[in-house]
Structure formats: C-alpha cells, structure tokens
Amino acid sequence: MHYALVWWLKEKIQPKAKGFCGLVVYADDFVACFQYKWEAERFYEQLKKRMGYFGLELQEDKSRLIKFGRFAGQDAKEKGRKFLFY
C-alpha cells in the first residue's frame, strides 16, 4: 500500500493541491484529509482508479467523505447527527 497510496499522495496529489491535504495511515487503513471538499471528491475518484491499477479495491461500505474541522461538530449537531457526511 505504500507505493500505491503514500508515495502517490506525497508526490502527485499534494503538489497540485490548492489547500491542505494530509494522510494518516494505520495498519491496513488510512484517512486522507483535505481542506476543500472538491479536492477530497476528486481524490476519492482518482483513488479508486489508482487502487485498481494495483489489483486493490476500496470497500465502498467503509469509504466515505466526512466533514472535519473547526465547525464540523457544530454543523453536525445542528443537523441532528453525530457526524456530518457529505
């Protein structure tokens, strides 16, 4: 997963990003963070293709976009949710 994800994000995605983007990697999971929603959506679509190139696939039922940041909790609470999914 290192070459398929970590190197690709650092060398190809981050240099082109308009806002912050980062990656947290666990044993076999990861969280990608983006400042702008449109960059997160674009990354998600590109990620599916990137993983497919290496014979890997995302588990769609475990993959989603979640709003984060300073006001994410407040926004979710106002909408009556624990998390604010896009």
Side-chain angles (χ1 to χ4, degrees):
M1 181 164 65
H2 183 270
Y3 180 77
L5 179 64
V6 178
W7 177 88
W8 176 65
L9 184 103
K10 287 189 177 280
E11 297 294 324
K12 301 295 181 181
I13 303 298
Q14 280 183 338
K16 296 177 184 176
K18 301 294 182 201
F20 172 82
C21 78
L23 186 67
V24 179
V25 179
Y26 303 97
D28 62 348
D29 291 322
F30 64 92
V31 176
C33 305
F34 291 86
Q35 183 174 352
Y36 299 113
K37 181 182 174 186
W38 63 270
E39 286 189 320
E41 292 169 337
R42 185 176 67 186
F43 171 77
Y44 187 65
E45 292 306 315
Q46 292 174 340
L47 179 62
K48 292 177 193 177
K49 294 175 188 172
R50 178 74 176 173
M51 292 297 188
Y53 179 79
F54 289 96
L56 303 170
E57 61 184 54
L58 294 175
Q59 283 191 291
E60 295 289 333
D61 59 327
K62 293 183 179 181
S63 302
R64 60 189 166 268
L65 296 176
I66 301 173
K67 186 174 183 177
F68 74 100
R70 184 172 162 187
F71 301 108
Q74 180 181 343
D75 293 346
K77 189 175 182 180
E78 289 174 2
K79 295 188 183 219
R81 300 179 187 162
K82 187 174 181 180
F83 297 104
L84 191 59
F85 299 102
Y86 287 112

